[in-house]
Amino acid sequence: MDTPVTPAVAHTDTASRRDFLKTAAAGTAWFSTLGHHGAWAAGSDAPEKKEVKIGFIPLTDCASVVMASVLGIDQKYGVKIIPTKEASWPGVRDKLVNGELDLAHVLYGLVYGVHLGTAGPKKDMAVLMNLNQNGQAITLSKKLADKGAVDGASLAKLMATDKREYTFAQTFPTGTHAMWLYYWLAAHGINPMKDAKVITVPPPQMVANMRVGNMDGFCVGEPWNHRAIMDGIGITGTTTQDIWPEHPEKVLGTTSEWVQKYPNTARAVTAAILEAGKWIDAGLQNKLKMAETIADRAYVNTSVDAINQRILGRYQNGLGKTWDDPNHMKFFNDGAANFPYLSDGMWFLTQHKRWGLMKDHPDYLGVAKSINRIDIYKQAASAAKVSLPKSEMRSHKFIDGVSWDGKDPAKYADSFKVKV
């Protein structure tokens, strides 16, 4: 079913993984040849905190955080990243807010929700960088597919003719997966707030819940969509890059208070993870080594073949269709995957307003400017020798043909026919 992988990375036994991790750790020597960047590791610019705990959820897109640590890139910038495996997004939120975690691989919309008090306790937050773009999907159950629902249009047709309660899962109420799911359903005339039941499920539990019939579909990050296909319980209805090509996904998030207290550490960690993302995207072998590393029990805890196809853009929908997707998950993309565009943050706010998570229009641009720490990112990009885009805003066309450029967010948020 999967495209064969080279024998060197196909093994999944513990001993071979351990051997690889030793080899990966030796990559530190390679990075040390690149040298320090002047005063970044000493003097007044030295990181205030030498060891940082970064929370992550078991998903493919935690990879740049993990690889920055495993390859020793973090030490090049004078810090030590301790990746900390977490069970759920609410757990990540709580540990960020109370200071148990320094930073986290976290949902874009979670950070914005906490900042505005729409996702639990209100606290000023910060986004230091995007960790990746693209690479999530919406999975429909095999039972739905057997009835003809294999994409948005056929799902809408089935829901209109076969009347019952349809249940769909996302991973956090203000998060990216909720917004991708809602946008996709609405683009096909399905109101997620009126025509379906929406539940929240932690990413690693999606497949198990679908297996026992708790949901008709879910939106989650990889490798759990491909895992559902491998296990014969689901099919890919759409990818999120088909909803919004080159969309932002996870971010490196923390509290505003933490950045204020440790600005040099924030810059150093951002630079290290930027460089790790660059390493991942540099070529086939690096991606396969990354898949081998994060498949380990300490990280995503799945088989390598659940990860390594879709990170190369090799997709299948579980019904015999295969394709190569140029908009697969990217961790660097010449820096375009990582820049915290203000318009991206504002878009999430427009959708929070659309779906009733906020009663009133916020100061869209003001909120984005206060959360997205472009100042820290630019310093980190300079340290990691990463180019910057010409603008802090960008424009896109979505699956429904509607364009977003960040220029009139209130008008945009109010323009949708399908809303709460």
Side-chain angles (χ1 to χ4, degrees):
M1 186 168 68
D2 286 319
T3 306
V5 296
T6 56
V9 297
H11 54 69
T12 58
D13 64 282
T14 305
S16 56
R17 278 222 184 102
R18 197 180 298 120
D19 290 340
F20 168 72
L21 291 174
K22 287 178 184 174
T23 306
T28 306
W30 181 80
F31 283 103
S32 67
T33 64
L34 299 178
H36 282 296
H37 298 279
W40 295 96
S44 61
D45 283 343
E48 304 87 353
K49 193 168 187 176
K50 304 301 181 187
E51 192 172 283
V52 291
K53 284 185 180 178
I54 304 185
F56 72 92
I57 292 287
L59 291 160
T60 301
D61 51 29
C62 75
S64 56
V65 171
V66 171
M67 297 312 292
S69 175
V70 170
L71 292 171
I73 306 173
D74 50 357
Q75 295 173 44
K76 175 186 164 185
Y77 291 95
V79 291
K80 181 56 192 162
I81 291 171
I82 309 296
T84 307
K85 190 173 183 175
E86 303 297 333
S88 69
W89 292 121
V92 170
R93 172 200 62 199
D94 295 345
K95 288 183 179 182
L96 276 177
V97 168
N98 69 24
E100 284 182 64
L101 292 172
D102 295 300
L103 310 103
H105 150 261
V106 67
L107 297 164
Y108 211 135
L110 183 153
V111 176
Y112 271 65
V114 171
H115 189 90
L116 291 172
T118 56
K122 187 177 188 299
K123 192 172 181 76
D124 289 348
M125 301 296 286
V127 165
L128 301 183
M129 65 180 286
N130 287 357
L131 294 174
N132 66 298
Q133 58 186 193
N134 303 325
Q136 322 293 295
I138 294 174
T139 292
L140 299 176
S141 72
K142 202 70 165 54
K143 292 176 183 177
L144 277 190
D146 290 344
K147 291 186 176 182
V150 297
D151 55 21
S154 53
L155 174 65
K157 185 177 179 181
L158 179 68
M159 288 177 69
T161 54
D162 186 5
K163 297 283 189 180
R164 63 174 177 83
E165 183 177 71
Y166 287 80
T167 301
F168 297 93
Q170 38 79 12
T171 64
F172 190 82
T174 63
T176 51
H177 303 110
M179 299 308 116
W180 310 143
L181 177 66
Y182 300 167
Y183 201 100
W184 181 72
L185 290 171
H188 293 95
I190 302 165
N191 190 319
M193 303 301 162
K194 298 174 183 175
D195 303 332
K197 178 184 178 183
V198 178
I199 60 175
T200 301
V201 174
Q205 295 176 26
M206 286 292 190
V207 175
N209 273 274
M210 180 170 277
R211 185 178 288 113
V212 298
N214 287 346
M215 61 184 73
D216 295 288
F218 60 71
C219 184
V220 74
E222 296 300 343
W224 306 120
N225 301 287
H226 191 62
R227 183 82 253 173
I229 291 173
M230 291 174 69
D231 291 358
I233 62 166
I235 63 115
T236 294
T238 191
T239 64
T240 53
Q241 54 265 33
D242 280 344
I243 299 170
W244 175 2
E246 298 193 342
H247 69 75
E249 192 39 56
K250 305 304 183 298
V251 296
L252 182 62
T254 185
T255 63
S256 179
E257 179 185 9
W258 193 91
V259 180
Q260 189 175 352
K261 192 173 181 181
Y262 307 113
N264 296 347
T265 311
R267 179 183 59 218
V269 171
T270 303
I273 294 173
L274 258 178
E275 198 160 313
K278 187 177 185 179
W279 179 88
I280 293 169
D281 277 9
L284 174 67
Q285 288 306 312
N286 288 10
K287 288 178 181 176
L288 295 178
K289 284 180 181 179
M290 174 272 279
E292 175 78 8
T293 304
I294 68 167
D296 193 79
R297 186 177 298 170
Y299 304 116
V300 180
N301 191 23
T302 191
S303 58
V304 177
D305 54 356
I307 297 173
N308 65 11
Q309 299 304 301
R310 290 192 169 186
I311 59 168
L312 301 175
R314 298 172 187 164
Y315 276 78
Q316 54 180 287
N317 70 345
L319 295 167
K321 178 187 175 185
T322 61
W323 70 100
D324 288 328
D325 193 332
N327 293 320
H328 57 81
M329 186 182 292
K330 293 171 186 174
F331 293 89
F332 184 63
N333 196 15
D334 295 326
N338 308 116
F339 188 82
Y341 291 95
L342 297 177
S343 52
D344 288 0
M346 292 163 66
W347 183 84
F348 287 104
L349 293 176
T350 67
Q351 299 308 296
H352 294 172
K353 177 66 173 69
R354 176 185 183 182
W355 300 117
L357 295 166
M358 295 184 291
K359 289 183 179 180
D360 302 313
H361 289 290
D363 174 7
Y364 291 96
L365 183 58
V367 171
K369 281 183 174 179
S370 64
I371 297 176
N372 290 21
R373 293 299 301 270
I374 290 174
D375 56 333
I376 296 287
Y377 180 85
K378 285 181 175 179
Q379 294 167 10
S382 173
K385 297 182 180 177
V386 172
S387 59
L388 297 168
K390 293 178 181 177
S391 173
E392 296 176 356
M393 309 280 272
R394 58 179 184 154
S395 59
H396 311 266
K397 183 176 281 190
F398 284 69
I399 190 173
D400 53 4
V402 177
S403 294
W404 162 249
D405 59 13
K407 289 179 181 173
D408 195 341
K411 182 180 179 182
Y412 174 85
D414 290 339
S415 69
F416 294 98
K417 290 179 181 176
V418 180
K419 51 190 173 185
V420 72

